[in-house]
Amino acid sequence: GQQLNQSPQSMFIQEGEDVSMNCTSSSIFNTWLWYKQDPGEGPVLLIALYKAGELTSNGRLTAQFGITRKDSFLNISASIPSDVGIYFCAGRIQGAQKLVFGQGTRLTINP
Amino acid sequence: IAGITQAPTSQILAAGRRMTLRCTQDMRHNAMYWYRQDLGLGLRLIHYSNTAGTTGKGEVPDGYSVSRANTDDFPLTLASAVPSQTSVYFCASSLTGGNTGELFFGEGSRLTVL
């Protein structure tokens, strides 16, 4: 079953606003990944996190590996139209090899 | 441009028919994966292969089979398609096995089973 809870499921924002989304689980993870999927495309890796507490930026994107190892967040600053898409968190549970995905956050931006 | 190529891009199929989705990568990655994407459920792993000659079952393997005869190709076969297999299918690869992350995805194959 689903082991990651991603929220919110959808967001409608104005261009220029900051965005925040997160994933939580009852399991302990040792890897967190954030992917973005554009319409009609496959997901593309944005940020990878491998240590608890790790904070990593990629341009206007910042992601953190929660200190409890059960959560992660992704922030997008000063959103622009090309940020539209579906964002997925994914993680590898400690002791397991399987990568599990969140349900996705659909981001819509009003110009 | 190096990457993953999936075919067909989309297909409408009658229930009960056999269908093979093709996937080829030119990055010399050891591991390859097949996911299905359904609204509200995210990406679910169907089958995977950590290296050529080996395959394993993922989260939702029933009704699907795979083979990995060489490093580059990882076809997914639906032996007798059913409407619940209507989905978008993504092939992915990673440099190493163990599904440790940093997957590279193809552009997807949209399958509709009537």
Side-chain angles (χ1 to χ4, degrees), chain B residues 97-110:
Chain B
N99 206 347
T100 55
E102 300 202 36
L103 304 181
F104 293 82
F105 286 86
E107 296 194 344
S109 295
R110 180 177 296 276

Side-chain angles (χ1 to χ4, degrees), chain B residues 30 48-56 66-69 74:
Chain B
N30 287 313
Y48 65 93
S49 169
N50 285 335
T51 188
T54 69
T55 63
V66 292
S67 62
R68 187 90 184 276
F74 191 44

Side-chain angles (χ1 to χ4, degrees), chain B residues 54-66:
Chain B
T54 69
T55 63
K57 294 182 179 180
E59 184 182 356
V60 288
D62 294 343
Y64 305 95
S65 64
V66 292

